[in-house]
């Protein structure tokens, strides 16, 4: 259609609309408030180790932005950990969040710099000693003692070190490696 | 059937098989190796902000334990963040991991102590300033600056403070509030 020919050509690298990101960066330079986001979810306990989160929208660019449709995410424990296995367990969900964020951060920042990626795969593994969670010793922590991430990327060899550095710009990597402030309130329903 | 009558009666609180957890604790006291778990996932980039994790099994009790079926978790960015909205985004997945872990930890530890819960709901919200991720300033971090968790629990009023303390035994809370060691390697595919 004739109208479409008047649209400015979009620069797309790694499936990422780089022109859109550049526009966003310019808009933020004019008004910092655009960059301030609030992500939020709700969660409901179902039974035993099973609970479900609902994700409907997020705040950013000075307004609430609905997702196309709500996302529902189930967590449960496997039978060995006294659950019904209706979903990945929370520490597996954490590895998923980390994998997704490292990958997206690498793909986006590579796109912005014109670094083309053909394939990205990763394996993540973390060590937990259940004696911490169960209160059997103070010698081990409750959470992951270590997390190992191994990426395999189909790209030019000279990009690898730079991609590793770019992946570490990930917001979830920041929280999971440095921690953040978490306030918990509890009221009666 | 007659055989079933010979099975020892199981103590179940909040849908959690407390007898099984007590058996696990006793087994760990005899052999610490049982407590050592390795959780692992694989992730594959699809396009742009879209990637998918697969979770098939975990190591614990000195063996690999398959889930009943593999779990597939999609991450993507919403259109405002240059994605196709095929899944919750990674920082929303992090909130889901935290919500699920705080909830399960509270439910399990309450069950072990005989504290009965009828309903548990939570709302989680976290603040991210995109100027960090985009490299526009060093004044803000890339990840969540703060995360707020509000629980509503249907239980006896005198349980609330104790439940809040129990929730903080959560492994994901530990990692997200204190951080952990994350090693990243990158090789060419």
């Amino acid at each position: 259609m004739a109208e479409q020919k008047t649209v400015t050509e979009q620069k797309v690298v790694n499936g990422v609309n780089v022109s859109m990101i550049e526009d966003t960066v310019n808009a933020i330079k004019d008004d910092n408030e655009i960059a301030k986001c609030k992500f939020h979810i709700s969660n409901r306990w179902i039974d035993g180790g099973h609970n479900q989160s609902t994700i409907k929208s997020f705040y950013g660019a000075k307004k609430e932005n609905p997702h196309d449709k709500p996302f529902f995410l189930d967590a449960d424990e496997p039978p060995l950990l006294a659950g019904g296995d209706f979903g990945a367990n929370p520490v597996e969900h954490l590895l998923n969040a980390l994998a997704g964020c490292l990958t997206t951060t690498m793909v986006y920042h590579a796109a912005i710099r014109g670094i083309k990626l053909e394939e990205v795969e990763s394996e993540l593994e973390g060590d937990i000693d259940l004696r911490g969670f169960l209160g059997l010793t103070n010698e081990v922590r409750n959470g992951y003692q270590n997390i190992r991430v191994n990426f395999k990327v189909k790209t030019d060899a000279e990009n690898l070190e730079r991609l590793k550095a770019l992946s570490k710009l990930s917001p979830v990597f920041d929280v999971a490696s440095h921690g953040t402030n978490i306030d918990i309130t509890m009221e009666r329903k």
Side-chain angles (χ1 to χ4, degrees), chain A residues 94-109 124 149 151 162-179:
Chain A
L94 177 61
L95 294 183
N96 166 59
L98 180 61
C101 202
L102 288 168
T103 299
T104 297
T105 301
M106 186 195 313
V107 168
Y108 272 48
H109 274 283
L124 287 82
V149 183
F151 274 102
R162 198 166 174 208
L163 290 173
K164 182 174 164 178
L166 292 177
S167 74
K168 291 186 176 181
L169 300 173
S170 150
V172 174
F173 175 79
D174 175 21
V175 172
S177 58
H178 298 115

Side-chain angles (χ1 to χ4, degrees), chain A residues 59-79:
Chain A
Y59 178 87
K62 305 205 276 190
K63 64 186 192 301
E64 196 66 21
N65 305 281
H67 284 293
D68 284 350
K69 56 180 192 309
F71 300 115
F72 301 101
L73 294 167
D74 284 86
D76 197 0
E77 296 296 336

